[in-house]
PDB file of all heavy atoms in Angstrom:
ATOM      1  N   ASP Y 227     235.071 121.565 325.985  1.00 93.00           N
ATOM      2  CA  ASP Y 227     236.361 121.247 325.391  1.00 93.00           C
ATOM      3  C   ASP Y 227     237.487 122.218 325.841  1.00 93.00           C
ATOM      4  O   ASP Y 227     237.347 123.465 325.635  1.00 93.00           O
ATOM      5  CB  ASP Y 227     236.271 121.421 323.898  1.00 93.00           C
ATOM      6  CG  ASP Y 227     235.257 120.343 323.227  1.00 93.00           C
ATOM      7  OD1 ASP Y 227     235.216 119.176 323.719  1.00 93.00           O
ATOM      8  OD2 ASP Y 227     234.562 120.728 322.276  1.00 93.00           O
ATOM      9  N   PHE Y 228     238.444 121.614 326.589  1.00 92.00           N
ATOM     10  CA  PHE Y 228     239.509 122.531 327.132  1.00 92.00           C
ATOM     11  C   PHE Y 228     240.648 122.416 326.215  1.00 92.00           C
ATOM     12  O   PHE Y 228     240.977 121.536 325.476  1.00 92.00           O
ATOM     13  CB  PHE Y 228     239.944 121.910 328.543  1.00 92.00           C
ATOM     14  CG  PHE Y 228     238.908 122.188 329.506  1.00 92.00           C
ATOM     15  CD1 PHE Y 228     237.955 121.294 329.924  1.00 92.00           C
ATOM     16  CD2 PHE Y 228     239.083 123.434 330.294  1.00 92.00           C
ATOM     17  CE1 PHE Y 228     237.045 121.606 330.948  1.00 92.00           C
ATOM     18  CE2 PHE Y 228     238.040 123.715 331.302  1.00 92.00           C
ATOM     19  CZ  PHE Y 228     237.082 122.707 331.473  1.00 92.00           C
ATOM     20  N   PRO Y 229     241.426 123.666 326.155  1.00 91.00           N
ATOM     21  CA  PRO Y 229     242.694 123.805 325.200  1.00 91.00           C
ATOM     22  C   PRO Y 229     243.776 122.817 325.846  1.00 91.00           C
ATOM     23  O   PRO Y 229     243.760 122.385 326.945  1.00 91.00           O
ATOM     24  CB  PRO Y 229     242.994 125.313 325.424  1.00 91.00           C
ATOM     25  CG  PRO Y 229     242.375 125.680 326.705  1.00 91.00           C
ATOM     26  CD  PRO Y 229     241.179 124.856 326.908  1.00 91.00           C
ATOM     27  N   THR Y 230     244.663 122.448 324.934  1.00 89.00           N
ATOM     28  CA  THR Y 230     245.742 121.663 325.238  1.00 89.00           C
ATOM     29  C   THR Y 230     246.676 122.200 326.392  1.00 89.00           C
ATOM     30  O   THR Y 230     247.414 121.500 327.012  1.00 89.00           O
ATOM     31  CB  THR Y 230     246.641 121.370 323.934  1.00 89.00           C
ATOM     32  OG1 THR Y 230     246.996 122.520 323.431  1.00 89.00           O
ATOM     33  CG2 THR Y 230     245.767 120.517 323.015  1.00 89.00           C
ATOM     34  N   ASP Y 231     246.708 123.482 326.482  1.00 85.00           N
ATOM     35  CA  ASP Y 231     247.717 124.095 327.528  1.00 85.00           C
ATOM     36  C   ASP Y 231     246.861 124.573 328.695  1.00 85.00           C
ATOM     37  O   ASP Y 231     247.441 125.443 329.481  1.00 85.00           O
ATOM     38  CB  ASP Y 231     248.454 125.225 326.915  1.00 85.00           C
ATOM     39  CG  ASP Y 231     247.477 126.389 326.445  1.00 85.00           C
ATOM     40  OD1 ASP Y 231     246.246 126.195 326.402  1.00 85.00           O
ATOM     41  OD2 ASP Y 231     248.036 127.449 326.106  1.00 85.00           O
ATOM     42  N   TRP Y 232     245.729 123.941 328.984  1.00 88.00           N
ATOM     43  CA  TRP Y 232     244.969 124.311 330.121  1.00 88.00           C
ATOM     44  C   TRP Y 232     245.673 124.112 331.422  1.00 88.00           C
ATOM     45  O   TRP Y 232     246.538 123.009 331.448  1.00 88.00           O
ATOM     46  CB  TRP Y 232     243.616 123.646 330.139  1.00 88.00           C
ATOM     47  CG  TRP Y 232     242.647 124.088 331.224  1.00 88.00           C
ATOM     48  CD1 TRP Y 232     242.173 123.402 332.339  1.00 88.00           C
ATOM     49  CD2 TRP Y 232     242.101 125.394 331.243  1.00 88.00           C
ATOM     50  NE1 TRP Y 232     241.395 124.200 333.031  1.00 88.00           N
ATOM     51  CE2 TRP Y 232     241.321 125.462 332.484  1.00 88.00           C
ATOM     52  CE3 TRP Y 232     242.135 126.540 330.581  1.00 88.00           C
ATOM     53  CZ2 TRP Y 232     240.534 126.559 332.799  1.00 88.00           C
ATOM     54  CZ3 TRP Y 232     241.407 127.559 330.940  1.00 88.00           C
ATOM     55  CH2 TRP Y 232     240.670 127.686 332.048  1.00 88.00           C
ATOM     56  N   ARG Y 233     245.495 124.929 332.481  1.00 82.00           N
ATOM     57  CA  ARG Y 233     246.290 124.760 333.710  1.00 82.00           C
ATOM     58  C   ARG Y 233     246.122 123.586 334.498  1.00 82.00           C
ATOM     59  O   ARG Y 233     246.980 123.187 335.214  1.00 82.00           O
ATOM     60  CB  ARG Y 233     246.140 126.054 334.559  1.00 82.00           C
ATOM     61  CG  ARG Y 233     244.659 126.268 335.013  1.00 82.00           C
ATOM     62  CD  ARG Y 233     244.570 127.538 335.805  1.00 82.00           C
ATOM     63  NE  ARG Y 233     243.235 127.793 336.297  1.00 82.00           N
ATOM     64  CZ  ARG Y 233     242.398 128.626 335.596  1.00 82.00           C
ATOM     65  NH1 ARG Y 233     242.836 129.068 334.494  1.00 82.00           N
ATOM     66  NH2 ARG Y 233     241.105 128.826 336.028  1.00 82.00           N
ATOM     67  N   VAL Y 234     244.943 122.941 334.343  1.00 86.00           N
ATOM     68  CA  VAL Y 234     244.585 121.745 335.074  1.00 86.00           C
ATOM     69  C   VAL Y 234     245.056 120.542 334.111  1.00 86.00           C
ATOM     70  O   VAL Y 234     244.429 120.367 333.151  1.00 86.00           O
ATOM     71  CB  VAL Y 234     243.140 121.670 335.431  1.00 86.00           C
ATOM     72  CG1 VAL Y 234     242.849 120.271 336.204  1.00 86.00           C
ATOM     73  CG2 VAL Y 234     242.760 122.825 336.274  1.00 86.00           C
ATOM     74  N   PRO Y 235     246.007 119.780 334.441  1.00 86.00           N
ATOM     75  CA  PRO Y 235     246.655 118.690 333.458  1.00 86.00           C
ATOM     76  C   PRO Y 235     245.529 117.771 333.083  1.00 86.00           C
ATOM     77  O   PRO Y 235     245.505 117.350 331.954  1.00 86.00           O
ATOM     78  CB  PRO Y 235     247.698 118.151 334.286  1.00 86.00           C
ATOM     79  CG  PRO Y 235     248.126 119.163 335.222  1.00 86.00           C
ATOM     80  CD  PRO Y 235     246.917 119.872 335.663  1.00 86.00           C
ATOM     81  N   GLN Y 236     244.617 117.328 334.020  1.00 88.00           N
ATOM     82  CA  GLN Y 236     243.700 116.285 333.673  1.00 88.00           C
ATOM     83  C   GLN Y 236     242.708 116.785 332.601  1.00 88.00           C
ATOM     84  O   GLN Y 236     242.040 115.999 331.926  1.00 88.00           O
ATOM     85  CB  GLN Y 236     242.890 115.939 334.936  1.00 88.00           C
ATOM     86  CG  GLN Y 236     243.795 115.238 336.012  1.00 88.00           C
ATOM     87  CD  GLN Y 236     244.135 116.289 336.992  1.00 88.00           C
ATOM     88  OE1 GLN Y 236     244.444 117.469 336.711  1.00 88.00           O
ATOM     89  NE2 GLN Y 236     243.885 115.880 338.392  1.00 88.00           N
ATOM     90  N   PHE Y 237     242.442 118.188 332.497  1.00 91.00           N
ATOM     91  CA  PHE Y 237     241.570 118.654 331.595  1.00 91.00           C
ATOM     92  C   PHE Y 237     242.070 119.052 330.314  1.00 91.00           C
ATOM     93  O   PHE Y 237     241.427 119.209 329.304  1.00 91.00           O
ATOM     94  CB  PHE Y 237     240.868 119.906 332.162  1.00 91.00           C
ATOM     95  CG  PHE Y 237     239.913 119.658 333.445  1.00 91.00           C
ATOM     96  CD1 PHE Y 237     239.719 118.456 333.921  1.00 91.00           C
ATOM     97  CD2 PHE Y 237     239.328 120.781 333.953  1.00 91.00           C
ATOM     98  CE1 PHE Y 237     239.020 118.240 335.042  1.00 91.00           C
ATOM     99  CE2 PHE Y 237     238.486 120.577 335.189  1.00 91.00           C
ATOM    100  CZ  PHE Y 237     238.313 119.279 335.598  1.00 91.00           C
ATOM    101  N   ALA Y 238     243.453 119.294 330.245  1.00 89.00           N
ATOM    102  CA  ALA Y 238     244.155 119.777 328.985  1.00 89.00           C
ATOM    103  C   ALA Y 238     243.899 118.979 327.853  1.00 89.00           C
ATOM    104  O   ALA Y 238     244.132 117.740 327.814  1.00 89.00           O
ATOM    105  CB  ALA Y 238     245.623 119.933 329.340  1.00 89.00           C
ATOM    106  N   GLY Y 239     243.314 119.567 326.820  1.00 91.00           N
ATOM    107  CA  GLY Y 239     243.192 118.968 325.560  1.00 91.00           C
ATOM    108  C   GLY Y 239     241.958 117.894 325.500  1.00 91.00           C
ATOM    109  O   GLY Y 239     241.896 117.053 324.587  1.00 91.00           O
ATOM    110  N   ARG Y 240     241.033 117.847 326.476  1.00 91.00           N
ATOM    111  CA  ARG Y 240     240.069 116.787 326.592  1.00 91.00           C
ATOM    112  C   ARG Y 240     238.714 117.496 326.711  1.00 91.00           C
ATOM    113  O   ARG Y 240     238.432 118.680 326.937  1.00 91.00           O
ATOM    114  CB  ARG Y 240     240.294 115.916 327.818  1.00 91.00           C
ATOM    115  CG  ARG Y 240     241.717 115.278 327.865  1.00 91.00           C
ATOM    116  CD  ARG Y 240     241.820 114.497 329.066  1.00 91.00           C
ATOM    117  NE  ARG Y 240     241.047 113.221 328.912  1.00 91.00           N
ATOM    118  CZ  ARG Y 240     241.067 112.274 329.805  1.00 91.00           C
ATOM    119  NH1 ARG Y 240     241.880 112.331 330.810  1.00 91.00           N
ATOM    120  NH2 ARG Y 240     240.257 111.180 329.627  1.00 91.00           N
ATOM    121  N   THR Y 241     237.600 116.747 326.298  1.00 93.00           N
ATOM    122  CA  THR Y 241     236.264 117.082 326.491  1.00 93.00           C
ATOM    123  C   THR Y 241     235.815 116.650 327.935  1.00 93.00           C
ATOM    124  O   THR Y 241     235.854 115.340 328.266  1.00 93.00           O
ATOM    125  CB  THR Y 241     235.344 116.530 325.422  1.00 93.00           C
ATOM    126  OG1 THR Y 241     235.771 116.985 324.117  1.00 93.00           O
ATOM    127  CG2 THR Y 241     233.956 116.899 325.593  1.00 93.00           C
ATOM    128  N   VAL Y 242     235.346 117.412 328.748  1.00 94.00           N
ATOM    129  CA  VAL Y 242     234.964 117.178 330.078  1.00 94.00           C
ATOM    130  C   VAL Y 242     233.471 117.473 330.337  1.00 94.00           C
ATOM    131  O   VAL Y 242     232.974 118.507 329.891  1.00 94.00           O
ATOM    132  CB  VAL Y 242     235.861 118.013 331.071  1.00 94.00           C
ATOM    133  CG1 VAL Y 242     235.518 117.671 332.501  1.00 94.00           C
ATOM    134  CG2 VAL Y 242     237.352 117.817 330.775  1.00 94.00           C
ATOM    135  N   GLU Y 243     232.844 116.479 331.146  1.00 95.00           N
ATOM    136  CA  GLU Y 243     231.478 116.664 331.535  1.00 95.00           C
ATOM    137  C   GLU Y 243     231.530 117.541 332.748  1.00 95.00           C
ATOM    138  O   GLU Y 243     231.991 117.008 333.833  1.00 95.00           O
ATOM    139  CB  GLU Y 243     230.732 115.389 331.799  1.00 95.00           C
ATOM    140  CG  GLU Y 243     230.348 114.681 330.581  1.00 95.00           C
ATOM    141  CD  GLU Y 243     229.508 113.475 330.843  1.00 95.00           C
ATOM    142  OE1 GLU Y 243     229.251 113.095 332.049  1.00 95.00           O
ATOM    143  OE2 GLU Y 243     229.052 112.732 329.809  1.00 95.00           O
ATOM    144  N   VAL Y 244     231.141 118.764 332.625  1.00 95.00           N
ATOM    145  CA  VAL Y 244     231.171 119.691 333.804  1.00 95.00           C
ATOM    146  C   VAL Y 244     229.743 119.758 334.406  1.00 95.00           C
ATOM    147  O   VAL Y 244     228.739 120.170 333.711  1.00 95.00           O
ATOM    148  CB  VAL Y 244     231.765 121.068 333.544  1.00 95.00           C
ATOM    149  CG1 VAL Y 244     231.750 121.993 334.756  1.00 95.00           C
ATOM    150  CG2 VAL Y 244     233.090 120.912 332.953  1.00 95.00           C
ATOM    151  N   HIS Y 245     229.578 119.415 335.589  1.00 96.00           N
ATOM    152  CA  HIS Y 245     228.204 119.494 336.255  1.00 96.00           C
ATOM    153  C   HIS Y 245     228.109 120.751 337.041  1.00 96.00           C
ATOM    154  O   HIS Y 245     228.982 121.064 337.805  1.00 96.00           O
ATOM    155  CB  HIS Y 245     228.083 118.222 337.239  1.00 96.00           C
ATOM    156  CG  HIS Y 245     228.069 116.961 336.711  1.00 96.00           C
ATOM    157  ND1 HIS Y 245     226.863 116.085 336.674  1.00 96.00           N
ATOM    158  CD2 HIS Y 245     228.955 116.245 336.036  1.00 96.00           C
ATOM    159  CE1 HIS Y 245     227.180 115.036 336.006  1.00 96.00           C
ATOM    160  NE2 HIS Y 245     228.499 114.949 335.531  1.00 96.00           N
ATOM    161  N   LEU Y 246     227.126 121.583 336.614  1.00 96.00           N
ATOM    162  CA  LEU Y 246     226.897 122.948 337.158  1.00 96.00           C
ATOM    163  C   LEU Y 246     225.662 123.004 337.977  1.00 96.00           C
ATOM    164  O   LEU Y 246     224.597 122.472 337.452  1.00 96.00           O
ATOM    165  CB  LEU Y 246     226.904 123.946 335.950  1.00 96.00           C
ATOM    166  CG  LEU Y 246     228.126 123.955 335.021  1.00 96.00           C
ATOM    167  CD1 LEU Y 246     227.777 124.736 333.825  1.00 96.00           C
ATOM    168  CD2 LEU Y 246     229.308 124.513 335.734  1.00 96.00           C
ATOM    169  N   LYS Y 247     225.758 123.712 339.110  1.00 96.00           N
ATOM    170  CA  LYS Y 247     224.473 124.009 339.777  1.00 96.00           C
ATOM    171  C   LYS Y 247     224.543 125.524 340.198  1.00 96.00           C
ATOM    172  O   LYS Y 247     225.526 125.913 340.844  1.00 96.00           O
ATOM    173  CB  LYS Y 247     224.396 123.156 341.010  1.00 96.00           C
ATOM    174  CG  LYS Y 247     223.146 123.557 341.835  1.00 96.00           C
ATOM    175  CD  LYS Y 247     222.944 122.691 343.088  1.00 96.00           C
ATOM    176  CE  LYS Y 247     221.712 123.041 343.896  1.00 96.00           C
ATOM    177  NZ  LYS Y 247     221.515 122.138 345.083  1.00 96.00           N
TER     178      LYS Y 247
END
Side-chain angles (χ1 to χ4, degrees):
D227 295 323
F228 286 91
T230 56
D231 60 352
W232 188 247
R233 60 178 177 270
V234 180
Q236 299 98 313
F237 292 1
R240 303 183 68 177
T241 299
V242 181
E243 286 188 357
V244 180
H245 294 247
L246 303 166
K247 180 179 180 180

